Amino acid sequence: MIKKILNNPENSVDEMIDGVVQSHSKLVKRIPETGIIQRSLEKTGKVAIISGGGSGHEPAHAGFVGKGMLSAAVCGAVFTSPTPDQILEAIKAADEGAGVFLVIKNYSGDIMNFEMAQELAEMEDIKVDSIIVDDDIAVEDSLYTQGKRGVAGTIFVHKILGYAAEQGQSIEEIKKLAEALVPNIKTVGVALTGVTTPGSNEPSFTLADDEIEYGVGIHGEPGYRREKLQSSQGLSEELLTKLLKEFDAKAQDRFAIIVNGLGGTPLMEQYVFANDVHKSMKEHDLVIDFSKVGNLMTSLEMQGLSLTLLRLNEAFYLEALEAPVDTISW
Amino acid sequence: MIKKILNNPENSVDEMIDGVVQSHSKLVKRIPETGIIQRSLEKTGKVAIISGGGSGHEPAHAGFVGKGMLSAAVCGAVFTSPTPDQILEAIKAADEGAGVFLVIKNYSGDIMNFEMAQELAEMEDIKVDSIIVDDDIAVEDSLYTQGKRGVAGTIFVHKILGYAAEQGQSIEEIKKLAEALVPNIKTVGVALTGVTTPGSNEPSFTLADDEIEYGVGIHGEPGYRREKLQSSQGLSEELLTKLLKEFDAKAQDRFAIIVNGLGGTPLMEQYVFANDVHKSMKEHDLVIDFSKVGNLMTSLEMQGLSLTLLRLNEAFYLEALEAPVDTISW
């Protein structure tokens, strides 16, 4: 059984949110009685970018709230979409008059609730638009998803749209940007262990002592293959080959990458893996212009990692990724 | 057995360092054939702050190299001090003419090697001074330590001395600052699991499924008590009571805190715990002016966390903590 540092498991998300806003009170605040973490900034009339979803993926999404990224994050229960009324509340609180743009990971519950909130907000004359992120190429359709799942690549969407909003782009421009951007982001992961949600006694799945599973989702959804633990180099080859197939990449194509720890994997292993990815990319005659390594979109204490590639076919993407922000976790 | 994403375990640190510098090539570079990660900045004639020690505590220390913090980090083998010649190399590379200040965690091996390097550098006419950080109040003397161990509070030393150096303080001023600062930093932790070093088959210690150990060191050194797993609130009371005893704190005293994940504990649990710490501190009529939460000084994949308090009895400390830096992980 996994030991956890919690009080009543039912209150974990609530207490976590209080922990976040008390620890970073200059950056963020909580809208009382809600799961919404909002920027502490004065409003400047720009488009507000909102994301959110089930909790358990920290620092996503609250860690990316702040100047230059998200205006607010809506935190649902663990691995559970926030309700439409919570999302509506976030939209109303974040709107600065220029409209609100929603970044939604592709899970059926999230899509249903975010879209309902969008309709409700539009009825209150708030301009709202949205993008669905479906970067996980591991499998088509899954436990909670039609199509492909939304995972760590979502962080690149936050960063690039956040920069566009900060630059004063309109909601129409941001929509166009998002639609061009998302198809250029692909992710695939590997799990070494399962994940146990607070209050439950059993992990969502188990792997043998020498076994891994490729393509597991960030809620423990099934992947595409189990096999014996590989070397970091072997894992990097597997994930990279799968990703590059999707891109139809040409020599000297330029990329940004995320090596994303799933929660329980130490940074040392993430950097050993990052080293193998950099080596392999060079061997493929591909260029990495930007790297992010760390626990960004986690699955509680799951051991494993994911690799995200973003093809930098617009100079704006790299400019956006490199711009400084003021958040807890970027 | 713990599964790890590595290649040949013997090369883990080497490959990790390559991973770090390739992933963040604008910020840091490796001095070839060494375990030294150095700033990519142009030199400006300021005092250079250097830290280092055994690897396995990532992001410490390489993640704190950059403008406003460390000039270089020296990475030893896993849980093993870097050699004097490596540290000497780092001193020579980092020196900008104003001298080099070493931040040493209190382990016998580190002290011996850093002090030897200091003597060697002085023989080459480089001005060197140093401070020993011994913030872990859990136990006196330990497996690798005379006195108290140096742990997560070291990050506050990096930040505050790094700011002083950036402000142009002399090495004598920095020494004085460090001597006043370190006694105001206290840390104590709790482990939920042991830790297994790359290449070994067994964890350094084991805990039963419902058991925790207070005061375990970041190399798995013994702590001061084992008991059944407590609630986050219970853990927070235990650690905070132990820390506050050391401070002889008065009502309205002001503190900075670090809630430091030891590697395998999710951010959700760290923030639940941070929430309990904030609540308890209020009940003690003490004020938290600055909080840092996350995996900063880890012990590979160990589950657990530590709590650091820094008494802010100088306005300069808070000013230094709040100043922006350009590093991978602060």
Side-chain angles (χ1 to χ4, degrees):
Chain A
M1 208 185 113
I2 291 282
K3 285 173 269 192
K4 288 183 186 279
I5 300 174
L6 297 172
N7 298 304
N8 183 343
E10 281 179 25
N11 301 335
S12 304
V13 172
D14 191 52
E15 294 176 16
M16 171 187 75
I17 294 172
D18 278 343
V20 170
V21 297
Q22 286 184 87
S23 300
H24 312 286
S25 56
K26 289 196 179 159
L27 279 176
V28 293
K29 61 187 178 192
R30 179 179 192 163
I31 300 184
E33 319 269 311
T34 74
I36 304 163
I37 292 182
Q38 193 188 4
R39 284 184 192 180
S40 301
L41 294 177
E42 271 185 49
K43 299 192 169 185
T44 54
K46 293 171 182 168
V47 173
I49 313 287
I50 291 182
S51 194
S55 293
H57 307 301
E58 292 68 33
H61 299 274
F64 306 115
V65 172
K67 191 175 162 69
M69 277 184 92
L70 301 179
S71 292
V74 199
C75 310
V78 173
F79 295 174
T80 305
S81 173
T83 57
D85 61 304
Q86 294 266 308
I87 303 164
L88 175 62
E89 196 74 33
I91 292 171
K92 287 159 77 172
D95 183 35
E96 306 187 16
V100 175
F101 195 85
L102 308 174
V103 179
I104 311 167
K105 298 198 300 304
N106 189 32
Y107 299 100
S108 307
D110 284 317
I111 288 174
M112 195 173 70
N113 293 348
F114 275 84
E115 287 186 348
M116 195 176 297
Q118 176 169 349
E119 284 170 30
L120 293 167
E122 284 166 347
M123 283 160 59
E124 299 193 27
D125 289 326
I126 302 175
K127 213 192 257 182
V128 184
D129 213 333
S130 62
I131 189 79
I132 293 166
V133 184
D134 59 348
D135 56 316
D136 187 345
I137 60 159
V139 295
E140 281 291 326
D141 301 338
S142 190
L143 279 185
Y144 317 111
T145 310
Q146 301 295 316
K148 292 175 291 159
R149 299 174 301 222
V151 290
T154 310
I155 313 294
F156 275 158
V157 181
H158 296 164
K159 183 68 178 77
I160 293 170
L161 301 193
Y163 177 73
E166 187 61 29
Q167 298 289 98
Q169 288 197 18
S170 70
I171 194 164
E172 292 78 14
E173 289 169 312
I174 289 172
K175 172 79 171 186
K176 217 174 131 188
L177 171 66
E179 284 178 330
L181 173 65
V182 168
N184 283 295
I185 304 176
K186 317 274 185 198
T187 301
V188 64
V190 59
L192 277 60
T193 65
V195 54
T196 306
T197 53
S200 92
N201 293 319
E202 294 295 328
S204 59
F205 66 98
T206 50
L207 290 165
D209 257 12
D210 60 351
E211 199 183 32
I212 59 172
E213 182 167 339
Y214 294 112
V216 169
I218 54 173
H219 314 94
E221 303 99 314
Y224 64 85
R225 192 168 86 239
R226 286 190 181 196
E227 61 180 35
K228 296 247 177 208
L229 177 62
Q230 300 297 310
S231 67
S232 167
Q233 210 180 334
L235 295 177
S236 144
E237 264 314 314
E238 167 72 26
L239 302 188
L240 205 51
T241 304
K242 205 163 166 77
L243 288 167
L244 290 176
K245 244 184 233 161
E246 301 277 323
F247 276 108
D248 192 20
K250 295 180 305 294
Q252 290 295 309
D253 274 357
R254 309 187 87 86
F255 289 88
I257 70 166
I258 300 175
V259 172
N260 173 56
L262 288 172
T265 284
L267 212 43
M268 174 180 284
E269 296 172 39
Q270 297 177 42
Y271 276 114
V272 166
F273 178 84
N275 181 50
D276 287 315
V277 172
H278 275 266
K279 273 204 280 193
S280 294
M281 288 286 279
K282 258 180 222 150
E283 282 162 19
H284 285 94
D285 202 11
L286 300 169
V287 183
I288 300 177
D289 280 329
F290 182 92
S291 309
K292 198 85 190 162
V293 181
N295 296 350
L296 297 168
M297 176 75 77
T298 62
S299 181
L300 294 169
E301 76 287 346
M302 189 188 283
Q303 281 172 35
L305 49 74
S306 66
L307 176 62
T308 299
L309 296 191
L310 156 60
R311 181 157 47 188
L312 297 170
N313 50 359
E314 297 290 341
F316 183 81
Y317 298 164
L318 185 59
E319 176 188 328
L321 291 175
E322 288 182 336
V325 293
D326 199 8
T327 65
I328 303 165
S329 308
W330 170 252
Chain B
M1 208 186 111
I2 291 280
K3 284 173 269 191
K4 290 181 185 278
I5 300 174
L6 297 172
N7 298 305
N8 181 343
E10 281 180 24
N11 302 334
S12 303
V13 172
D14 192 53
E15 294 176 16
M16 170 187 76
I17 294 172
D18 278 342
V20 170
V21 297
Q22 286 184 89
S23 300
H24 313 287
S25 55
K26 290 197 177 157
L27 279 177
V28 293
K29 61 188 178 192
R30 179 178 192 164
I31 300 184
E33 317 270 311
T34 74
I36 304 163
I37 291 182
Q38 191 187 5
R39 285 185 192 179
S40 301
L41 293 177
E42 270 185 50
K43 298 191 170 185
T44 55
K46 293 171 182 169
V47 172
I49 313 286
I50 291 182
S51 194
S55 292
H57 308 301
E58 292 67 34
H61 300 276
F64 306 114
V65 172
K67 192 175 161 71
M69 277 184 91
L70 301 179
S71 292
V74 199
C75 309
V78 173
F79 295 174
T80 305
S81 173
T83 56
D85 60 303
Q86 293 266 308
I87 303 165
L88 175 62
E89 197 73 33
I91 292 171
K92 287 158 76 172
D95 183 35
E96 306 186 16
V100 175
F101 195 86
L102 308 174
V103 179
I104 312 168
K105 299 198 299 304
N106 189 31
Y107 298 100
S108 307
D110 284 317
I111 288 174
M112 195 172 69
N113 293 349
F114 275 84
E115 288 186 348
M116 194 175 296
Q118 176 168 350
E119 284 170 30
L120 293 167
E122 284 165 348
M123 284 161 57
E124 300 193 27
D125 289 326
I126 301 175
K127 213 192 257 183
V128 184
D129 212 333
S130 62
I131 189 79
I132 293 166
V133 184
D134 59 348
D135 57 313
D136 187 346
I137 61 160
V139 294
E140 281 291 325
D141 301 338
S142 190
L143 280 185
Y144 316 112
T145 310
Q146 300 294 315
K148 291 176 291 161
R149 299 174 301 223
V151 290
T154 310
I155 313 296
F156 275 157
V157 181
H158 295 164
K159 184 67 177 78
I160 293 170
L161 301 193
Y163 178 72
E166 187 61 29
Q167 297 290 97
Q169 289 197 17
S170 70
I171 193 163
E172 292 78 14
E173 289 169 313
I174 289 172
K175 171 78 170 185
K176 217 174 130 188
L177 170 66
E179 283 179 331
L181 172 65
V182 168
N184 283 296
I185 304 175
K186 317 274 185 199
T187 300
V188 65
V190 59
L192 277 60
T193 65
V195 53
T196 305
T197 52
S200 91
N201 292 319
E202 293 296 327
S204 59
F205 66 98
T206 50
L207 290 164
D209 257 11
D210 60 350
E211 199 183 32
I212 58 172
E213 181 168 341
Y214 294 113
V216 168
I218 55 174
H219 314 92
E221 304 98 313
Y224 64 85
R225 193 168 84 240
R226 286 191 181 195
E227 62 180 34
K228 297 247 175 208
L229 177 61
Q230 301 296 311
S231 66
S232 168
Q233 209 180 335
L235 295 177
S236 144
E237 266 313 314
E238 167 73 25
L239 302 188
L240 205 51
T241 304
K242 206 164 165 77
L243 288 167
L244 290 176
K245 243 185 229 159
E246 301 277 322
F247 276 108
D248 191 19
K250 295 179 306 295
Q252 290 296 306
D253 274 359
R254 308 187 87 86
F255 289 88
I257 71 166
I258 300 173
V259 173
N260 172 56
L262 288 173
T265 284
L267 213 43
M268 174 179 285
E269 296 173 39
Q270 296 178 43
Y271 275 114
V272 167
F273 178 84
N275 181 50
D276 287 313
V277 172
H278 275 265
K279 272 204 279 193
S280 294
M281 288 286 279
K282 257 180 221 150
E283 282 163 18
H284 285 93
D285 201 11
L286 300 169
V287 182
I288 299 177
D289 280 330
F290 182 91
S291 308
K292 197 85 190 160
V293 181
N295 295 351
L296 298 166
M297 176 75 77
T298 61
S299 181
L300 295 169
E301 75 287 345
M302 188 188 283
Q303 281 173 34
L305 49 75
S306 66
L307 176 62
T308 299
L309 296 191
L310 157 60
R311 182 157 47 188
L312 297 170
N313 49 0
E314 298 288 342
F316 183 79
Y317 298 165
L318 185 59
E319 177 189 326
L321 291 176
E322 288 183 337
V325 293
D326 199 8
T327 65
I328 302 166
S329 309
W330 170 255

